[in-house]
Amino acid sequence: MSEGFSEPYKIVFPDIPSAGVYFFTTPSGMQYEVRFGRKKDDILSATIVFGVINEEFEGEEYVMTNKNEVYHVMATIVKIIQTFRNEHPNVRSYEFTGEPKHGESIDSPTQRIRLYYRYVQKMFDNRDWDINFGKNTIIVQRKK
């Protein structure tokens, strides 16, 4: 199935929207967490981290598996980010980090960050948002 037609998985939303922690489970049993953290010096900036939280991946927090579910996983993450954005319209920047996997260089964009970049471009309209793509970071800022 192509990425444009993937359906999101069922999302477990936080009881309190300001909590900013969402969960979902894939049919293969992978449990994901999507967390929105606020920066201490700027509460209107959010850092987004997500990945598998199954015990079998203990020690490597926020891994992303590829069990032929990547397009559904990303569709679910897009839906979660859209929900968070609707509930928090005053947030003016978002940061995504794609930590290098074993064997990847920190001196060039990681496979993860390149995947995230494709989706970030779909989630944020470049008329209203600046998208800055770094080696392993994407920062999206509302235009002034």
Side-chain angles (χ1 to χ4, degrees):
M1 191 173 272
S2 75
E3 63 189 90
F5 299 102
S6 296
E7 289 293 321
Y9 295 122
K10 183 177 186 248
I11 300 167
V12 177
F13 294 92
D15 292 334
I16 303 168
S18 62
V21 182
Y22 303 75
F23 299 94
F24 64 94
T25 302
T26 69
S28 70
M30 293 291 107
Q31 298 171 323
Y32 282 79
E33 176 184 74
V34 180
R35 180 179 296 271
F36 294 82
R38 300 297 182 105
K39 296 189 175 203
K40 289 180 184 178
D41 60 342
D42 184 0
I43 61 168
L44 296 179
S45 295
T47 301
I48 303 169
V49 291
F50 54 88
V52 174
I53 57 172
N54 293 55
E55 288 182 18
E56 68 187 274
F57 297 103
E58 193 165 330
E60 185 169 342
E61 193 174 17
Y62 299 116
V63 297
M64 185 179 209
T65 67
N66 187 1
K67 295 186 181 265
N68 298 320
E69 300 172 327
V70 69
Y71 297 127
H72 292 284
V73 166
M74 291 307 296
T76 307
I77 292 168
V78 166
K79 183 174 180 180
I80 289 169
I81 292 170
Q82 289 169 337
T83 300
F84 185 88
R85 286 182 58 201
N86 288 336
E87 292 173 347
H88 302 87
N90 294 322
V91 172
R92 57 181 177 231
S93 76
Y94 293 90
E95 182 176 331
F96 300 80
T97 302
E99 293 298 320
K101 295 189 291 189
H102 181 70
E104 285 186 310
S105 170
I106 61 170
D107 295 324
S108 60
T110 63
Q111 182 179 353
R112 287 179 185 161
I113 207 68
R114 287 192 304 262
L115 172 68
Y116 302 166
Y117 186 65
R118 286 189 0 228
Y119 284 88
V120 165
Q121 289 178 304
K122 294 175 184 182
M123 287 185 283
F124 295 91
D125 183 337
N126 64 7
R127 290 175 296 182
D128 299 323
W129 297 88
D130 286 321
I131 302 171
N132 301 301
F133 181 62
K135 291 179 183 173
N136 66 351
T137 304
I138 299 169
I139 298 175
V140 182
Q141 293 179 309
R142 186 181 312 272
K143 291 183 178 180
K144 295 182 181 193

